[in-house]
Amino acid sequence: QVQLVESGGGLVQAGGSLRLSCAASGRTFSSYTMGWFRQAPGKEREFVAAIHRSGRSTYYANFVNGRFTISRDNTKNTVYLQMTSLKPEDTAVYYCAASQINTDYNREYSYAYWGQGTQVTVSS
């Protein structure tokens, strides 16, 4: 079992940057594909980015458009989401998730473990 704790959220002005971190418990972090999802008020949760357990492959939602970068450090059991050029529409609760299957990385059902989320608010 994996426990996930996100951090790094906050309030930032449009055009600014934030780096989210997700710390995982357990010894098998490197066996999980890790993903970031987000949920804005009144909207469904949506996929943001994912990274293969090896770190060699990354996947992004179309709306990211080069603004975000997902990375991981398997020695620290941590996955990161570097967000730049933030827009007010990026305002959401951001969730970290872990998956043991290497398919459908952009689907919630692929992820068995979820963090509690961290709030990101982008002001205009």
Side-chain angles (χ1 to χ4, degrees):
Q1 193 167 357
V2 177
Q3 291 186 326
L4 305 172
V5 179
E6 303 96 336
S7 61
L11 174 64
V12 64
Q13 289 188 332
S17 300
L18 280 176
R19 188 176 83 155
L20 305 183
S21 299
C22 173
S25 65
R27 304 179 187 177
T28 59
F29 176 75
S30 61
S31 68
Y32 292 91
T33 287
M34 299 300 296
W36 286 97
F37 288 74
R38 71 184 188 183
Q39 187 168 22
K43 295 187 177 181
E44 294 186 351
R45 190 155 54 184
E46 63 179 349
F47 170 73
V48 178
I51 185 166
H52 187 266
R53 56 190 180 187
S54 68
R56 287 195 292 267
S57 298
T58 56
Y59 314 92
Y60 296 95
N62 289 337
F63 66 78
V64 169
N65 200 23
R67 300 181 298 126
F68 299 174
T69 302
I70 188 171
S71 61
R72 67 189 296 160
D73 185 339
N74 286 346
T75 66
K76 296 182 179 179
N77 283 10
T78 302
V79 62
Y80 305 97
L81 185 67
Q82 177 69 50
M83 304 188 293
T84 63
S85 301
L86 283 162
K87 305 174 183 180
E89 51 264 44
D90 293 318
T91 295
V93 177
Y94 283 71
Y95 297 90
C96 171
S99 171
Q100 286 187 295
I101 61 175
N102 292 307
T103 186
D104 295 344
Y105 49 83
N106 60 339
R107 304 292 181 140
E108 289 187 52
Y109 60 68
S110 296
Y111 295 84
Y113 305 104
W114 293 81
Q116 293 299 308
T118 185
Q119 176 71 48
V120 171
T121 304
V122 184
S123 63
S124 57

